Amino acid sequence: MSQISPLQAARATYQPKLPAVLSASGPFAKPVFGKATKSVADQAAIKKLFPDTYGLPAVKFEKGAKRKVKALNVAVILSGGQAPGGHNVIAGLYDGLKALNAQSKLYGFLGGPSGLIDNKYMLLDDAIIDAYRNTGGFDMICSGRTKLEKPEQFDKVIVNCKALGINAIVIIGGDDSNTNACVLAQYMIDKKTGIQVIGCPKTIDGDLKNEWIEVSFGFDTATKVYSELIGNIMRDANSARKYWHFIKLMGRSASHIALECALQTHPNACIISEEVQQKNISLNQIVWDLTNLVIKRASKKMNFGVVLIPEGLIEFVPELNPLIAELNDSMAEGTELGDQFNALPDMDAKIKFVEAHLKGDNLAVFKPLPTFVKAQLLGDRDPHGNVQVSKIETEKLLIAMVEANIKAYNGATGNNVKFSTQAHFFGYEGRCAAPSNFDADYCYALGYNASALIGAGLTGYMSSVRNISKSADKWEAGGIPLTMMMNMEHRHGKDVPVIKKALVELDAKPFKTFAANRDKWAEEVDFVYPGPIQYFGPAEVCDRTTLTLQLERA
Ligand code: FBP
């Protein structure tokens, strides 16, 4: 590891808080089983696919007595995008396993799921774990996006795990990785391996949440980092009074991150993709709403402002969705059109080709788009050959379109509304931040709790720590069957079982609170400057949770 900063050194000594039941009983807490569960939808189909893990009861840990547990060998992977706190999940898991039996071993498989498949691992020991306690990043064992979903891959995992005498695999990941964990758990039963599979809910996006998983880890820290940056920009905007800042925020499809940052900072506008979709708001309408806001603020001598834009917006705009679908289909590799398109020498030729082949409405939407957006729509594909929607610079697209409207407005009215802009994209700035106290505690508890689930012999569960809007001593620990979160979805031409993604709900408190305040925030300077995450100091400053969580659990 590189040299550590004084803050990191102080932070290394932080002892994360645990739910009272785990503090009292350690990983020997007693599992108390609830009633049989069912999946959120498509019960018959899910039951058929997961005959042994479907219907498992939810588990709640209660006080338990120390008992003799054999030494366990456990494999752990980090899967997908980085999220603050991942190292603490591993540290909690490690401490819990050692408490169960000091001879237990934890193997970190390297680079995500591919490490399990290709048998790349390292044995984690005290020195490694101690070096990474309470740090951000996933660099202890690194992560990856290989999908662990095919029987051939599972078979390799079995061979590799058997060679090390692995009793359980812990998959720390988002909805896709935990979907795969669910499939792997059933596969391990089918093949009578006795290897348990436990999931942990990770993603800054906040879209792996439901009645039992109140939040995925990383959301708290990442949104605090973005909100700090947004607050700094707001203060700059309010000081210089000459720029409109358009800020795109990571979060993939869901707008949870944008919404939380809006609640924390009170921007002049924040677009929520789920609202755009439900109310069928066109791109033109979004742009005119922003244009009118710029004009209105200009009339009050406020030629500045801050606009938040969720990463996934493009997919939710009604007229862009069919356009993207047609581009995905018509340019797919192996099709006649796709092969002709791919053979073209440069982007100019590709744009002309696509304009000659797009149909009716989609052509009308594509044609007026700025050239850089056309190029991004036609540029690199994802591994499935689809448009990489997240790479489209929506913040710049909106700026260009508002600019054109303002120009037309100034021309038609003789006014001189100024619209000078700055574009930003925040995502990587927050994914590896040192975890907030909340994420440090929550992650450690999730990992420690996973060791208790393993010690109890369970498989096909997600580590669940609940009641987390309260102080940690009131948190509840347990496990939720992965099958409980599943439904069937149509993906890449097939109906497949997946964990249901949580999008922003327009009738829930976080959105309603935002909607009730946004007009006031639009026209005034009501900015809030949250400042940096604090690790040492009063609990009301250092341990506060996100506003989303507070509003949802109020
Ligand atoms: P996960 O769902 O895997 O946690 O990813 C989170 C995320 O940060 C998204 O917000 C973002 O769209 C994506 O990862 C970017 O990933 P990459 O850096 O691999 O392109």
Side-chain angles (χ1 to χ4, degrees), residues 190-206:
D190 291 346
K191 299 284 167 185
K192 301 188 173 43
T193 63
I195 298 173
Q196 299 160 243
V197 181
I198 299 292
C200 282
K202 172 236 71 169
T203 178
I204 60 162
D205 300 349

Side-chain angles (χ1 to χ4, degrees), residues 135-213:
T135 58
F138 279 6
D139 41 330
M140 181 203 290
I141 55 173
C142 298
S143 184
R145 289 200 183 276
T146 301
K147 291 196 185 308
L148 177 57
E149 57 186 358
K150 298 193 187 108
E152 319 73 275
Q153 297 173 321
F154 295 162
D155 290 334
K156 286 187 182 164
V157 172
I158 293 176
V159 171
N160 298 337
C161 285
K162 280 198 169 155
L164 288 171
I166 296 288
N167 306 99
I169 301 173
V170 175
I171 295 184
I172 304 172
D175 53 337
D176 273 349
S177 309
N178 276 289
T179 293
N180 296 338
C182 188
V183 178
L184 183 63
Q186 178 63 50
Y187 196 83
M188 290 296 186
I189 297 173
D190 291 346
K191 299 284 167 185
K192 301 188 173 43
T193 63
I195 298 173
Q196 299 160 243
V197 181
I198 299 292
C200 282
K202 172 236 71 169
T203 178
I204 60 162
D205 300 349
D207 57 4
L208 172 47
K209 91 176 147 179
N210 47 50
E211 206 185 313
W212 316 279
I213 301 297

Side-chain angles (χ1 to χ4, degrees), residues 265-437:
T265 61
H266 305 182
N268 303 105
C270 173
I271 301 163
I272 300 296
S273 307
E274 291 82 343
E275 184 182 30
V276 168
Q277 185 179 49
Q278 276 188 38
K279 298 189 180 161
N280 217 15
I281 304 172
S282 67
L283 182 60
N284 232 353
Q285 185 61 51
I286 295 171
V287 173
W288 268 113
D289 288 348
L290 292 172
T291 308
N292 289 331
L293 178 63
V294 172
I295 294 170
K296 196 151 202 183
R297 284 179 67 85
S299 72
K300 298 181 182 178
K301 308 227 172 322
M302 291 192 287
N303 290 305
F304 65 95
V306 172
V307 179
L308 304 186
I309 303 146
E311 180 181 23
L313 176 64
I314 289 283
E315 281 176 277
F316 290 77
V317 174
E319 69 270 37
L320 287 177
N321 210 315
L323 167 65
I324 291 169
E326 190 182 339
L327 291 176
N328 284 341
D329 279 356
S330 60
M331 293 181 319
E333 244 177 69
T335 62
E336 203 186 314
L337 267 190
D339 291 344
Q340 286 174 26
F341 170 85
N342 286 326
L344 292 167
D346 55 38
M347 193 45 80
D348 271 358
K350 286 184 175 175
I351 292 174
K352 284 199 187 102
F353 180 86
V354 165
E355 288 183 350
H357 288 92
L358 273 177
K359 300 185 194 90
D361 287 352
N362 288 341
L363 178 62
V365 175
F366 186 79
K367 224 155 174 196
L369 291 175
T371 309
F372 75 89
V373 175
K374 289 182 185 170
Q376 283 166 4
L377 281 166
L378 304 183
D380 290 346
R381 316 270 99 180
D382 73 7
H384 303 288
N386 295 333
V387 172
Q388 296 218 52
V389 181
S390 66
K391 298 240 163 99
I392 296 167
E393 293 173 307
T394 336
E395 68 287 16
K396 294 190 184 156
L397 167 66
L398 292 177
I399 286 176
M401 294 179 82
V402 173
E403 219 159 44
N405 280 356
I406 296 284
K407 203 168 159 202
Y409 170 84
N410 284 344
T413 61
N415 285 338
N416 185 20
V417 170
K418 291 196 180 66
F419 184 58
S420 301
T421 58
Q422 299 288 345
H424 314 261
F425 171 40
F426 296 155
Y428 298 101
E429 292 79 353
R431 290 205 315 186
C432 282
S436 60
N437 281 357

